[in-house]
């Protein structure tokens, strides 16, 4: 029973198209994240939601729009795809820990979605 | 934001050897995690270790928060230890560039 599942696993599309990646977690976590891993393996956070509320919004083009219909789901929609959007996108989830509070927001990652823009 | 540097960037080990990976960070933190990304891309959380020492099988980690570094030890390495090891630090979990480890039989 997969804890954090992403679909699709692979996505090949043309420049200019719009695409979505879906993520679901069954761990009962309050917080979900999107990370982007580039071709050099560098992992960078894009967004984080806590119980459907956006709490982290890094410098990302506004062509990227996350949406969290409930705390178990976080989707990523990308408009007008560009070559530079090619990457592996990882979804993750964790317990919610307020900034400065004790405890750990230990991340559990999904398997990743490899997006190739031609 | 917090800067995270990992060393060495690349490491080739003979099976059975021991190794130490290092993570330096630029600011005091109360959150530090180590991850392993296997050759198939799966990211697995190894340790949550903002301070102190933890052990899990052949892996152990030590964080000296006052000196802003963490170490990951791999003992008696196996080919399944191959992959990239990431250190992630801080409330926003800034990731380092990783340590690429290849264990050869």
């Amino acid at each position: 029973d997969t804890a954090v599942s992403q679909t699709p696993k692979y996505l090949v599309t043309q420049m200019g198209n719009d695409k979505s990646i879906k993520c679901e977690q069954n761990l009962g976590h309050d917080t979900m994240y999107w990370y982007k891993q580039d071709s050099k393996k560098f992992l960078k956070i894009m967004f984080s939601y806590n119980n459907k509320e956006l709490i982290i919004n890094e410098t990302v083009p506004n062509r990227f729009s996350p949406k969290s219909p409930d705390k178990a789901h976080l989707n990523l929609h990308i408009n007008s795809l560009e070559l530079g959007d090619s990457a592996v996108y990882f979804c993750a989830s964790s317990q919610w820990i307020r900034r400065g509070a004790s405890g750990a927001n230990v991340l559990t990652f999904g398997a990743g979605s490899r997006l190739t823009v031609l | 934001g917090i800067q995270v540097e990992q060393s060495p960037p690349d490491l080739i080990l003979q099976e059975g050897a021991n190794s130490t990976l290092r993570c330096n960070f630029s600011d005091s933190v109360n959150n530090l995690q180590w991850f392993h990304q296997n050759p198939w891309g799966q990211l697995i959380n190894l340790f949550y270790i903002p301070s102190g020492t933890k052990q899990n099988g052949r892996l152990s980690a030590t964080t000296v928060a006052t000196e802003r570094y963490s170490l990951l030890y791999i003992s008696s390495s196996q080919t399944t230890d191959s992959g990239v090891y990431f250190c992630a630090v801080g409330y926003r979990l800034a990731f380092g560039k990783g340590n690429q480890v290849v264990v050869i039989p």
Side-chain angles (χ1 to χ4, degrees):
Chain A
D1 195 19
T2 306
V4 181
S5 58
Q6 300 179 224
T7 54
K9 190 167 175 59
Y10 299 97
L11 190 51
V12 181
T13 188
Q14 298 286 335
M15 263 192 339
N17 285 350
D18 304 337
K19 290 294 177 187
S20 292
I21 306 171
K22 296 186 176 183
C23 181
E24 176 182 2
Q25 55 94 5
N26 63 5
L27 297 168
H29 288 160
D30 294 320
T31 308
M32 296 184 72
Y33 311 77
W34 279 112
Y35 280 83
K36 178 180 180 182
Q37 186 171 45
D38 63 22
S39 58
K40 294 183 179 178
K41 300 277 191 181
F42 185 56
L43 270 161
K44 187 170 165 52
I45 191 167
M46 301 173 69
F47 303 103
S48 177
Y49 271 75
N50 176 54
N51 201 11
K52 303 191 294 178
E53 180 185 350
L54 183 64
I55 55 171
I56 293 176
N57 185 0
E58 291 295 303
T59 306
V60 175
N62 58 14
R63 297 182 295 102
F64 290 79
S65 52
K67 186 168 284 189
S68 181
D70 56 62
K71 70 176 190 176
H73 296 84
L74 179 62
N75 303 323
L76 183 65
H77 187 75
I78 316 171
N79 290 326
S80 304
L81 279 156
E82 300 178 357
L83 294 176
D85 298 331
S86 295
V88 182
Y89 292 85
F90 284 95
C91 177
S93 71
S94 76
Q95 294 287 6
W96 166 240
I97 302 296
R98 240 181 337 102
R99 190 175 199 137
S102 61
N105 57 336
V106 175
L107 295 183
T108 300
F109 279 92
S113 297
R114 181 176 293 275
L115 171 65
T116 303
V117 182
L118 303 175
Chain B
I2 295 174
Q3 304 300 312
V4 183
E5 291 186 6
Q6 293 186 239
S7 59
D10 300 286
L11 188 61
I12 299 176
L13 295 171
Q14 195 74 46
E15 197 170 28
N18 302 328
S19 65
T20 301
L21 310 177
R22 186 177 180 104
C23 171
N24 291 334
F25 44 95
S26 62
D27 203 352
S28 58
V29 295
N30 60 3
N31 187 3
L32 188 145
Q33 301 179 36
W34 282 97
F35 296 85
H36 175 228
Q37 186 169 35
N38 66 25
W40 297 270
Q42 182 67 41
L43 279 156
I44 303 295
N45 192 297
L46 298 175
F47 294 103
Y48 164 74
I49 185 162
S51 63
T53 298
K54 288 188 178 179
Q55 180 149 10
N56 184 0
R58 295 178 299 98
L59 300 181
S60 63
T62 295
T63 297
V64 183
T66 52
E67 297 187 22
R68 299 182 188 169
Y69 72 88
S70 182
L71 303 174
L72 180 70
Y73 304 97
I74 306 173
S75 64
S76 304
S77 59
Q78 301 178 358
T79 54
T80 51
D81 296 328
S82 295
V84 184
Y85 290 82
F86 290 102
C87 168
V89 172
Y91 180 75
R92 287 173 175 251
L93 280 174
F95 276 73
K97 293 186 177 179
N99 309 93
Q100 174 81 55
V101 173
V102 176
V103 181
I104 54 178

